[in-house]
Amino acid sequence: MSDSELLLQFQDDLKRQEAFTQLIKKYQQKIYWHIRKMVIDHDDADDVVQETFIKVWQGLQNFRADSQLYTWIYRIATNESLNFLQKKRRQNHVPLENDDSLDLLNTLESSISQDYISGDEIQIKLQKALLQLPDKQRLVFNMKYYDDMKYEEISEITGTSVGALKASYHLAVKKIEETLNSEEASF
């Protein structure tokens, strides 16, 4: 079912629940992995996905289709992920400007040991390097590298200019390379 068909059905009170169920089936997995790459922990990602779809339900009646539906949902998921990370830092009394993400690194380590994250050693090193990036750089890197999104799409989702996104991605790549190279040198 196309997004326009889902939106049309959602406007009908009798078909609203079924349309929303179809929307969740269509986007839940993509949204989950988008969020999971930011918050790392499976349970946290599930919570943020749930919050995202609650916001989608609440706002879908007023969706004006100025952007594509998936872009709008990704924007909500992105904001919910960033809000979750900020709230988690405040609860743990970690200053917002502290980007070393030790808590997320610990979560990654325990996820690896619990087999939540599968992958070879290179992938694990990349994930550790990613966690050392500021949240917004990590978000841009994930959307460009893993989700293979165009800068224009990322711009629409994040509300950031294409030029700023390119700079952010370039800095993220440079920091990841430096982290991986310094890790190799320590062996």
Side-chain angles (χ1 to χ4, degrees):
M1 186 177 291
S2 73
D3 287 350
S4 56
E5 291 171 323
L6 283 172
L7 289 169
L8 195 59
Q9 274 193 355
F10 190 83
Q11 299 306 319
D12 182 340
D13 289 339
L14 298 174
K15 297 179 181 177
R16 179 169 291 140
Q17 188 64 47
E18 176 59 29
F20 191 68
T21 301
Q22 291 300 318
L23 180 134
I24 289 173
K25 285 180 183 175
K26 185 173 183 176
Y27 290 111
Q28 186 174 23
Q29 189 173 7
K30 286 181 180 179
I31 294 299
Y32 170 82
W33 285 109
H34 172 68
I35 291 169
R36 176 78 185 263
K37 286 180 243 162
M38 289 298 294
V39 302
I40 305 302
D41 182 70
H42 168 72
D43 293 331
D44 290 343
D46 276 347
D47 291 345
V48 176
V49 167
Q50 186 173 8
E51 286 300 315
T52 297
F53 281 108
I54 288 170
K55 294 252 169 93
V56 169
W57 171 264
Q58 293 169 341
L60 202 54
Q61 191 80 16
N62 300 318
F63 178 70
R64 295 186 314 264
D66 294 338
S67 63
Q68 294 178 0
L69 181 60
Y70 96 93
T71 303
W72 180 71
I73 295 170
Y74 259 71
R75 184 179 308 132
I76 293 170
T78 299
N79 290 337
E80 288 298 308
S81 297
L82 293 173
N83 289 341
F84 173 83
L85 290 171
Q86 284 182 336
K87 186 194 297 184
K88 192 170 187 173
R89 284 192 185 106
R90 276 191 299 249
Q91 288 172 345
N92 294 330
H93 306 293
V94 177
L96 288 177
E97 60 275 355
N98 183 352
D99 287 317
D100 57 1
S101 302
L102 289 176
D103 191 38
L104 289 174
L105 280 170
N106 290 335
T107 302
L108 177 64
E109 293 289 345
S110 68
S111 293
I112 291 166
S113 66
Q114 295 173 17
D115 292 325
Y116 281 141
I117 297 175
S118 61
D120 58 9
E121 197 174 326
I122 301 285
Q123 186 64 25
I124 293 168
K125 287 179 182 180
L126 175 60
Q127 289 301 317
K128 286 181 180 180
L130 280 170
L131 289 175
Q132 294 179 26
L133 296 175
D135 291 340
K136 289 192 178 179
Q137 278 183 7
R138 184 161 35 109
L139 175 70
V140 171
F141 183 86
N142 285 337
M143 293 171 90
K144 182 74 179 142
Y145 183 80
Y146 287 112
D147 298 337
D148 199 29
M149 297 177 95
K150 293 178 174 40
Y151 285 114
E152 292 75 16
E153 292 172 306
I154 300 170
S155 174
E156 203 172 320
I157 291 167
T158 62
T160 306
S161 73
V162 170
L165 291 171
K166 287 180 179 179
S168 192
Y169 182 77
H170 176 74
L171 285 172
V173 168
K174 194 171 185 162
K175 288 178 183 177
I176 290 168
E177 286 174 349
E178 288 172 4
T179 301
L180 293 176
N181 288 336
S182 69
E183 199 171 292
E184 270 183 24
S186 66
F187 286 110

